[in-house]
Amino acid sequence: MSPARKETFLDVDGHEVRVSSPDKIVFPQVGLSKLEIVEYYLAVAEGALRGAGGRPMVLKRFVKGIDQEAFFQKRVPENHPDFIDTATLQYARGTSAEEAVIRDAAGLAWIVNLGCLDLNPHPVRAEDLDHPDELRIDLDPMPGVDWSQIVDVAFVAREVLDDTGLVGWPKTSGSRGMHILVRIAPEWDYAKVRLAAETLAREVENRAPGLATARWWKEERGESVFVDFNQNAKDRTVASAYSIRPLPDARVSTPLDWSEVRERRPEEFTVPTVLARYAEIGDPHEGIDGSAGSLAGLLALADELGPAEKPPRGGGEDGRRQSTMPLIELARTKTKPEALEALEQWKAQHPAVSSQLHPADVLVDGMRGSSSLWYRVRVNLQHVPEEARPPQEALIADYDPWAGKSWPGRPTD
């Protein structure tokens, strides 16, 4: 066996791109190396750039492998090559970041070499950072929801789009859910785009009660599909088309034609199968850029529906929201395995209670920290008789993602 190479160089459309540790196995289950990941993105470059090209993006870097948490890097590395453009985004906290903008296959290869598996672009073009040209519908299933329910909700969302003069382009998320992308004219700011997305979510819930929900608070959703309108907020990104997700089978977020949505399943789409599919049929989203529509219909519907119901807030001095559900918090952890271990520890301590929980009662949430995710574990005791509900106890683990961090306006002890 030849020794592993420290680096190799690729000629990508006249640009030399360095790939470090090209023989490193990134996906052990399927034996996929770093160089093979780069070669995958080069093979599907036209489709991948249709989703991510020309947009500032957050670099989600898996430098320690898919079994470790990625870290999020907003700022483009200082030593980036000249074929990488940049755009400076302003954030709500008063901070800014000069982010990477890729425009060609060489740019794809370069960011993959940094350890990026999936592509996470903002819904704006670098030429106009204040007016999104894409509305994003994220169909996020609660535990206990199967694929057929997600599909049913997707077709209801399509009906709402049709009724408001918009065209949706479906793709698997590469995880459990589905995304529907909607190109729009860049004429509305983030607040209006988010309002349009929230309106769509509310109307989908109105048309499919019990199947879909627009409720923001997770414990109130039940076993439904959350139409996640908040993915249209200014600081949010989602994995774009042809992104490889950090699952053991190297699953891919794959564009679909609507005629395929009921027949195909997310697990069918992995790096090898998508390579073959792309070579055979090309990109089902090839026409997406020519489908830009107006938000006028959704914004008119927003006026008809009236303001969304606001969640109740607490009566304490901080005014923080108090849930109407009987929630208890179990743990805050740095990694998901630690979160799941804490959950199992709590279940072992409370076997009678845990046996009464429904799948959607267990809430393990990935929370965005300063540069990576952390995890919060809660349970909703709504299906446990009141007299049998355990009280809030000391957290099994109490990780502080903000320890040692500061920013303007952050309160100090």
Side-chain angles (χ1 to χ4, degrees), residues 10 50 53 86 118 135 140 163 165 188-189 210 274 295 299 302 317 402:
L10 303 178
R50 191 170 284 120
T86 66
D118 46 24
L135 182 148
D140 184 12
D163 291 347
W188 295 270
D189 61 17
V274 170
L295 288 184
L299 294 176
E317 293 183 359
W402 310 109

Side-chain angles (χ1 to χ4, degrees), residues 279-354:
E280 180 181 356
I281 69 170
D283 180 15
H285 285 193
E286 185 175 0
I288 191 172
D289 288 326
S291 68
S294 170
L295 288 184
L298 279 175
L299 294 176
L301 181 59
D303 290 337
E304 291 179 27
L305 295 179
E309 181 182 354
K310 299 298 182 183
R313 302 190 71 84
E317 293 183 359
D318 62 2
R320 296 183 66 180
R321 171 192 180 266
Q322 296 294 316
S323 176
T324 59
M325 294 292 181
L327 291 175
I328 57 174
E329 186 174 7
L330 311 186
R332 300 177 184 184
T333 67
K334 184 176 182 179
T335 68
K336 190 169 185 178
E338 290 172 328
L340 297 177
E341 182 180 345
L343 174 62
E344 292 305 314
Q345 182 177 333
W346 182 86
K347 285 182 175 180
Q349 294 170 355
H350 302 278
V353 174
S354 62

